[in-house]
Amino acid sequence: MSPRKLNMESSIYLGSDGRWHGRVTMGVKSDGSPDRRHRTGRTETEVTRKVRELEKLRDEQRAPKAGRVPTVQQWMETYLTTIASLKLKPRSLDDYWSKTRNDIVPGIGQHRLNKLEPEHLEAMYAAMLSEGHAPSHVLKVHRILSRALKIAHRRRMIVENVATLVDPPTVDETEANPFTQEEARAFLEAAAKRSTFVRWLIGVGMGFRQGETLGMRWQYVDLDAELFHPRWQLQRLTWKHGCTDPHLCGERLHRFAPCPPVCAVHKGYKRGCPEPCGKGCTRHASVCPDRKGGGLVFTRPKTKKSQNPVPIPPPFIPPLRELRALQEEERAAAGELWEDHGVVFSRPDGRPLDPRQDWEEFKEILEEAGIDDRRLYDGSRHTAGTILNELGVPLVTIMEILRHTQVTQTRRYVKGRSEQSRDAMKRMGDAFLPQLRPPVQRVPQGPTETRTETTDSRAARARLRRRIR
């Protein structure tokens, strides 16, 4: 009769099936029952190694929890629904969901978390790059997946976060292309012909983000104290289903086959034909009768520093007062059709300006002003920071105006100009040579005869040194 095993001591034995088996006591489950893990192998040595590895994880309190480990798809849905949604801003959460549906789930969604290997991630990233995705897009997918796996590791669902073993693609930072002062004047001259002139004056002259500008409300504009209080921003969010069966809700809009090369249905789509629906498609929430959380929504800025008040340049005050008077006239003309949102920049019926139409108008003004194409961010926020720097404003003050949390972030928004470099080097030259000397007049000489030829032989170099001595 074998002696009784001590508490938490493992057992290894040869089973009736001819294989070796190992039993390891890990503790207790959530329901109070013993948590014993089973390992098997062909030889006693193999099972002993597996048992020792499991015991080591138990002793270091790194052992995964009991139960079936979820797949990557199941865990990403859990992570985004119950964990990330408590911390992320709505627009960021939409972006996480989009990259999860379109990239992570098709690539590695069926792997279980504990079976995920670094090679799986590297193959997915390589496939994304070959499909034409930008390295910055792949890097964002890597960060989302790494964060989700970090939470799973923290909760002892997996032993290791394999995303930390993978090197994502290197991304070159997009170089800013702000307006010069001449281009900024030309842009505002072209924008002055439009009813939205003040919107572009604020964007270019004060460096406000698009969402902050379109979401600005009169109650946060103090014209007497000449202060803006950017407490809200306007964003377009994705609609979400409010029904119990999202797949059935959008049944009439499901399209599982790809469009033909010449598609007549989506010929008016600026971004081309949409991708076919997946097998369990839950999109089309915009037609759900109980839809929620989408459309144009007022949200808080990303950081608390972004809500700091910003001084209004005194020349901007008269155009703002004129805009307010014009808006009162539009309110009276619209009557009952007026939708009061209290926004500074509105449509004739009081609704906020659409961000997409605002972006298209920016492109139109660029073309009218004869300025080469660039991002909206370059023509507003980067332009304000760069011109402030050219005017000699200290970098710390620019940081306060742009409402950055760190001065290193402000340096990325300020682009040095060649004119500044040229002026700096001119002053450097004046410091060394305050008075330029007249050039030395050289007397022209006739041709000279070379008597000694240069050679690479060691003997020739030795003879040359003896002659010099």
Side-chain angles (χ1 to χ4, degrees), residues 123-306:
M124 180 180 70
Y125 298 159
M128 293 172 62
L129 292 173
S130 64
E131 292 173 1
H133 289 290
S136 58
H137 179 91
V138 180
L139 179 61
K140 186 63 178 292
V141 171
H142 172 78
R143 288 173 176 171
I144 294 172
L145 183 60
S146 179
R147 179 62 183 172
L149 294 178
K150 181 179 179 180
I151 300 297
H153 176 247
R154 185 184 298 170
R155 299 188 178 191
R156 294 189 300 161
M157 301 174 65
I158 53 178
V159 177
E160 188 176 23
N161 179 3
V162 296
T164 60
L165 307 178
V166 178
D167 292 330
T170 302
V171 178
D172 295 330
E173 185 175 347
T174 304
E175 185 177 359
N177 187 21
F179 292 153
T180 63
Q181 296 189 34
E182 292 74 16
E183 288 175 336
R185 295 191 191 97
F187 180 87
L188 292 178
E189 288 176 1
K193 305 173 185 177
R194 300 171 177 263
S195 59
T196 55
F197 167 68
V198 183
R199 178 263 177 273
W200 300 112
L201 182 65
I202 298 298
V204 177
M206 301 188 63
F208 273 51
R209 303 176 180 90
Q210 183 192 37
E212 294 172 344
T213 306
L214 301 184
M216 192 181 299
R217 303 190 194 184
W218 285 114
Q219 65 183 26
Y220 301 110
V221 179
D222 191 344
L223 296 179
D224 296 329
E226 300 181 353
L227 284 176
F228 274 142
H229 298 271
R231 302 290 176 83
W232 295 93
Q233 59 182 351
L234 185 70
Q235 292 182 329
R236 181 176 292 280
L237 304 181
T238 304
W239 288 105
K240 297 179 179 59
H241 283 277
C243 55
T244 56
D245 192 346
H247 179 71
L248 183 63
C249 178
E251 184 177 15
R252 65 181 180 85
L253 296 177
H254 290 324
R255 183 181 54 84
F256 301 104
C259 293
V262 181
C263 179
V265 178
H266 306 109
K267 61 181 179 180
Y269 282 42
K270 295 182 179 180
R271 302 184 181 182
C273 297
E275 294 291 331
C277 298
K279 184 177 180 180
C281 177
T282 57
R283 295 185 297 178
H284 318 298
S286 58
V287 300
C288 178
D290 300 323
R291 65 181 185 178
K292 58 183 180 180
L296 291 178
V297 179
F298 289 98
T299 62
R300 291 290 188 182
K302 191 172 184 179
T303 62
K304 187 176 181 180
K305 187 78 178 283
S306 298

Side-chain angles (χ1 to χ4, degrees), residues 357-369:
Q357 295 178 354
D358 182 75
W359 178 85
E360 293 176 351
E361 186 178 35
F362 172 75
K363 298 295 183 179
E364 294 173 359
I365 298 175
L366 283 180
E367 186 176 355
E368 294 174 6

Side-chain angles (χ1 to χ4, degrees), residues 446-452:
T448 58
E449 181 180 357
T450 303
R451 297 181 179 274
T452 305

